[in-house]
């Protein structure tokens, strides 16, 4: 049974798992950024968005639009925005990524989407797409809820900080849209 937000009868959503509202107010991007850089997460959570002028983000957007032109794109479900979905026996959540260099962050973002949908009573699986590599990776939640709940708590902790966490300079910083905020 899937969740019906328009239902006024308490029995129609009875199979829906109960959840704390705060678990579902975090975005997939915030989960992703947690595993890329907590400093980037803090800036993003405070409304400082630098990606709109980043060439790597533009390239990723272009690949997504060209390669998956016929897909229903940017599906918004509450606080999450899924690149595209396919409907079948099970909803397939698809995320398109430029490279595998941040694969853990990509996987955790997809897991969060699955966790989120499960909390709404929606059964789903996820597929990560790496179009430049012609590769895909299937992601399933299978008992990893605790890992996602820990990530949610860490995102909330970082967002509540009065100042950004001290950045750690890594090779990936050179391509980051937030580079100037941290290192210039």
């Amino acid at each position: 049974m899937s969740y019906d937000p328009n239902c006024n009868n308490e029995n129609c959503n009875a199979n829906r798992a109960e959840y704390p509202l705060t678990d579902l107010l975090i975005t997939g991007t915030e989960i992703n950024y947690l595993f890329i850089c907590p400093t980037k997460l803090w800036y993003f959570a405070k409304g400082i968005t630098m990606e709109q002028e980043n060439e790597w983000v533009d390239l990723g957007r272009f690949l997504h639009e060209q390669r998956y032109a016929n897909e229903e794109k940017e599906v918004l479900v509450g606080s999450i925005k899924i690149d595209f979905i396919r409907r079948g026996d099970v909803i397939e959540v698809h995320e398109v990524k430029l490279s595998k260099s941040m694969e853990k962050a990509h996987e955790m973002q997809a897991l969060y989407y699955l966790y989120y949908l499960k909390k709404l009573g929606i059964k789903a699986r996820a597929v990560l797409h790496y179009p430049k590599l012609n590769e895909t990776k299937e992601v399933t939640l299978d008992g990893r809820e605790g890992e996602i709940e820990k990530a949610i708590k860490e995102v909330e902790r970082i967002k509540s900080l009065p100042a950004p966490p001290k950045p750690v300079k890594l090779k990936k910083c050179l391509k980051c849209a937030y580079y100037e905020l941290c290192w210039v």
Side-chain angles (χ1 to χ4, degrees):
M1 173 182 207
S2 63
Y3 176 68
D4 181 359
N6 298 317
C7 177
N8 293 322
N9 177 343
E10 65 185 48
N11 294 325
C12 65
N13 290 320
N15 292 335
R16 180 176 56 97
E18 290 305 313
Y19 58 89
L21 184 59
T22 56
D23 279 8
L24 302 183
L25 293 178
I26 290 172
T27 69
T29 302
E30 289 171 333
I31 294 290
N32 184 298
Y33 286 1
L34 173 66
F35 291 90
I36 293 173
C37 173
T39 307
K40 182 176 184 171
L41 165 61
W42 188 89
Y43 282 123
F44 178 81
K46 301 302 181 196
I48 302 169
T49 55
M50 308 292 283
E51 284 84 1
Q52 65 272 16
E53 297 176 22
N54 184 278
E55 64 190 55
W56 295 102
V57 173
D58 288 342
L59 178 57
R61 192 174 296 119
F62 174 78
L63 277 172
H64 177 239
E65 289 170 2
Q66 295 301 311
R67 190 77 175 261
Y68 304 99
N70 295 326
E71 302 293 346
E72 181 181 352
K73 290 185 195 67
E74 296 193 347
V75 179
L76 190 61
V77 180
S79 66
I80 64 172
K81 188 188 297 184
I82 300 165
D83 284 351
F84 68 91
I85 62 168
R86 290 185 180 146
R87 294 177 178 94
D89 296 342
V90 174
I91 299 284
E92 282 186 346
V93 172
H94 294 262
E95 280 295 302
V96 180
K97 303 299 181 183
L98 189 58
S99 78
K100 287 179 141 185
S101 65
M102 315 247 179
E103 190 172 16
K104 175 69 174 178
H106 305 156
E107 182 180 345
M108 294 305 291
Q109 180 178 4
L111 285 171
Y112 178 66
Y113 291 162
L114 296 177
Y115 174 88
Y116 190 108
L117 293 170
K118 181 179 179 181
K119 293 292 185 180
L120 295 177
I122 300 168
K123 186 175 181 177
R125 66 175 166 250
V127 179
L128 296 173
H129 293 264
Y130 299 98
K132 279 181 58 178
L133 304 171
N134 274 332
E135 292 183 25
T136 60
K137 178 181 180 179
E138 189 165 325
V139 179
T140 58
L141 192 54
D142 294 337
R144 296 181 70 184
E145 291 87 353
E147 194 176 347
I148 293 300
E149 289 164 359
K150 183 178 175 185
I152 289 167
K153 286 184 173 105
E154 185 61 8
V155 167
E156 290 170 342
R157 185 191 72 76
I158 290 168
K159 288 171 64 172
S160 72
L161 294 173
K166 184 176 172 152
V168 176
K169 197 164 196 175
L170 301 169
K171 184 179 175 184
K172 65 184 173 185
C173 295
L174 294 172
K175 294 181 181 179
C176 180
Y178 293 80
Y179 180 85
E180 291 182 16
L181 291 175
C182 297
W183 305 112
V184 176

